[in-house]
Amino acid sequence: MNRLTKRLSTLAALMLGASVLLSPPAVSADQPFASSVFLATHNSFSGNLADGVRCSLQFQLEHDVRFIELDIWEDGFATNHDFSIGHEGLGDDVDHFSNPASNLLWDWLSVVRSWSDAHPGHTPLVVMLDLKTDLSNNNSFAEGNLTALNEELSNAFGSKLLRPTEYAGQSVDALRGRILTLLSGNTSSRTEYRADIGDRPAVALNGNGQIVEVHNSPDSTSLWYWTGSYGPDGRVTWLRHGRYDSGMTPAVALNDNGWLVEVHKSEGANTLWYHVGFLGADGEISWGASHQFDNGVTPTVVFTSPWGSTVREVHQSQNNSQHWTWNGSVNTGSQTVTWGGNAKTSDPLYSKSFAGRGSAWVSVWTGADGPSPSNTLRYSTDRVGADRIRYQQIAFDEYQEGDSALLQQDALFYGAPATSRSFIVAARQSGHLVRGWDFDSASLATTPLASYPATNNPWTSWYQDMVNQAGPVRS
């Protein structure tokens, strides 16, 4: 059967099943969101190409599907500046008939946003992103890390987006017009979204509330950064994250013009190195090259004045407890430092884990936070108690059978194959929204049914009957 014939057969089947699609709402939407059942599709982008008949995203949304799954890859992000859709690979099983002509995530999210704008009273809609690759090992925003994904979701859905911190057990009616995004798939990515890990963190804060945190990886081979903004409430909004070098024991200084000087020790020798960088308004750092400036251990550095371009560095000798100092002048054009005045000093090392400006301060350290690991990166400020250094929680994070306690902590959404009947029932009974995927037979139904019984065949009579018996929310 060729593709056109298949589509005609599909349309005929849909016409014959029109009475199923026009089934009246089974229950009122004025009920708790977490106890509701909604129509859901699996591999929603596949339309009619793969192992079922779903039709286009537009058709699905028009016919009460309220759970859309998009499988995404970061391959090609540096060129496309976007993630791409596909099942086993970029473009795999992607049906472009009545769907976007491209595989770019933005185009598919735009379909959802446009439909939502045209139907402002719709019941809450979940857009799940199945992460097919590990975004946690991407070195920067430009390579497509979780910060890049966060920004795309925020830009796509704007004020319609419901963040995890905004959900407080509302009813379906209270959430009309809202879009919830959900991360599934790659476990490393989902875990890093909840908590980042590292070693020997250091921090700098300037008079504009800009923050730079640097740390080495737990194995002391790579250097990573976070940037953030100190808010009016004293809470830090973490903006960008990435890898900038190899090494260990980093320290950082930041002036009020946004220029920074970072110093660290080599991971394999007692040599000291530095970078000059510029922190942009978007939170991204433009890093200069790495340069060696001395031998030693435990380097520390500060700007000598808030707006100035001179720095002072203090470190310990690699041979004994003697401290040494350097004075440096930053050349912002070449992103280098001219060092001079090297001498022994009795001055202590500068504090790396604490930075203050006026009454504001920020402190960083590592430690367990509930179920998170002992090397979880954490922070506090003069007005905020301990919290994790992590990505903004734009999306919900799905807990799946066998995941860690960290992913289970505070999780609203659970997920499992439709065959994991006991898991689905237990999760529903404990008040969670549960996605069961690959619902391909009514025999997989449970009591209670999964909140989102994700199927490849949403228009078949058995699926509609199964969902109707559970009292789905429609419209």
Side-chain angles (χ1 to χ4, degrees):
M1 181 182 295
N2 62 36
R3 186 172 296 180
L4 177 59
T5 302
K6 181 178 179 181
R7 292 195 186 284
L8 291 174
S9 298
T10 299
L11 291 173
L14 291 174
M15 292 176 65
L16 289 173
S19 59
V20 172
L21 296 180
L22 296 176
S23 298
V27 295
S28 167
D30 188 18
Q31 62 179 5
F33 177 50
S35 63
S36 302
V37 173
F38 302 84
L39 275 69
T41 53
H42 176 238
N43 293 338
S44 310
F45 54 90
S46 292
N48 306 334
L49 289 184
D51 51 356
V53 175
R54 307 163 193 78
C55 299
S56 68
L57 283 191
Q58 181 83 15
F59 187 97
Q60 294 173 49
L61 294 169
E62 292 285 355
H63 292 85
D64 298 330
V65 170
R66 293 296 177 266
F67 187 102
I68 297 294
E69 176 191 346
L70 302 175
D71 295 356
I72 68 167
W73 304 74
E74 95 276 19
D75 305 51
F77 189 95
T79 300
N80 298 323
H81 307 295
D82 198 0
F83 301 91
S84 297
I85 302 293
H87 186 47
E88 297 297 336
L90 272 65
D92 179 57
D93 280 343
V94 178
D95 189 350
H96 296 291
F97 185 80
S98 297
N99 277 323
S102 83
N103 297 319
L104 298 181
L105 176 61
W106 178 262
D107 294 334
W108 292 73
L109 296 181
S110 296
V111 171
V112 178
R113 175 61 191 259
S114 295
W115 181 87
S116 178
D117 286 343
H119 302 79
H122 67 78
T123 50
L125 168 62
V126 175
V127 177
M128 192 198 80
L129 303 179
D130 190 347
L131 308 178
K132 290 298 187 179
T133 49
D134 186 359
L135 304 188
S136 69
N137 60 10
N138 291 347
N139 290 339
S140 67
F141 180 94
E143 292 186 15
N145 64 9
L146 288 162
T147 307
L149 183 58
N150 263 350
E151 182 168 288
E152 182 155 356
L153 295 177
S154 295
N155 290 341
F157 299 133
S159 61
K160 289 180 171 288
L161 189 67
L162 183 79
R163 302 187 182 205
T165 54
E166 297 177 298
Y167 176 72
Q170 294 101 314
S171 70
V172 172
D173 276 344
L175 297 178
R176 284 186 177 276
R178 304 303 295 273
I179 299 173
L180 294 76
T181 54
L182 177 64
L183 302 184
S184 185
N186 183 265
T187 304
S188 297
S189 301
R190 289 187 290 122
T191 300
E192 188 187 57
Y193 196 73
R194 301 299 303 278
D196 194 18
I197 59 174
D199 192 20
R200 301 174 183 176
V203 69
L205 167 70
N206 71 13
N208 301 315
Q210 293 178 297
I211 295 172
V212 175
E213 183 275 342
V214 291
H215 61 273
N216 54 248
S217 58
D219 61 4
S220 298
T221 61
S222 57
L223 294 169
W224 295 78
Y225 69 91
W226 282 95
T227 66
S229 176
Y230 178 98
D233 60 355
R235 188 167 298 280
V236 177
T237 299
W238 298 102
L239 300 171
R240 295 289 177 93
H241 177 48
R243 178 180 175 177
Y244 65 94
D245 205 347
S246 298
M248 59 187 301
T249 63
V252 65
L254 177 67
N255 73 11
D256 288 356
N257 292 315
W259 287 98
L260 63 94
V261 174
E262 180 274 348
V263 293
H264 65 271
K265 190 184 85 69
S266 167
E267 73 276 21
N270 290 325
T271 53
L272 300 179
W273 299 75
Y274 78 90
H275 288 269
V276 174
F278 180 74
L279 176 58
D282 60 358
E284 194 59 80
I285 297 175
S286 301
W287 291 96
S290 179
H291 303 277
Q292 183 181 354
F293 69 95
D294 204 351
N295 297 317
V297 297
T298 59
T300 62
V301 66
V302 297
F303 275 95
T304 58
S305 67
W307 293 93
S309 59
T310 60
V311 294
R312 184 167 184 256
E313 188 274 339
V314 178
H315 66 269
Q316 182 179 322
S317 167
Q318 71 272 28
N319 298 317
N320 50 51
S321 60
Q322 178 64 54
H323 288 180
W324 291 79
T325 185
W326 283 97
N327 297 316
S329 177
V330 178
N331 184 322
T332 58
S334 62
Q335 291 191 257
T336 58
V337 177
T338 300
W339 298 99
N342 183 221
K344 293 181 180 179
T345 181
S346 60
D347 292 346
L349 302 174
Y350 292 112
S351 173
K352 299 199 305 181
S353 60
F354 178 92
R357 185 61 65 87
S359 62
W361 57 261
V362 60
S363 177
V364 296
W365 72 96
T366 60
D369 179 18
S372 74
S374 60
N375 54 356
T376 298
L377 294 168
R378 304 180 70 189
Y379 83 96
S380 62
T381 74
D382 53 292
R383 284 183 285 169
V384 173
D387 201 355
R388 297 173 191 167
I389 299 175
R390 64 178 180 179
Y391 295 97
Q392 295 180 56
Q393 301 297 282
I394 300 294
F396 291 81
D397 214 338
E398 185 177 67
Y399 169 71
Q400 298 183 4
E401 191 172 16
D403 279 344
S404 67
L406 174 61
L407 285 172
Q408 187 175 20
Q409 182 187 37
D410 301 325
L412 174 64
F413 289 90
Y414 279 40
T419 52
S420 297
R421 297 162 59 88
S422 60
F423 178 87
I424 291 172
V425 170
R428 280 297 316 273
Q429 290 176 340
S430 60
H432 296 281
L433 285 159
V434 186
R435 172 180 72 106
W437 64 86
D438 276 341
F439 265 90
D440 57 13
S441 168
S443 65
L444 295 170
T446 56
T447 305
L449 185 65
S451 315
Y452 297 103
T455 184
N456 299 311
N457 300 283
W459 318 126
T460 55
S461 58
W462 69 261
Y463 179 80
Q464 294 281 331
D465 289 344
M466 179 187 72
V467 175
N468 284 340
Q469 289 174 14
V473 175
R474 294 180 182 266
S475 78

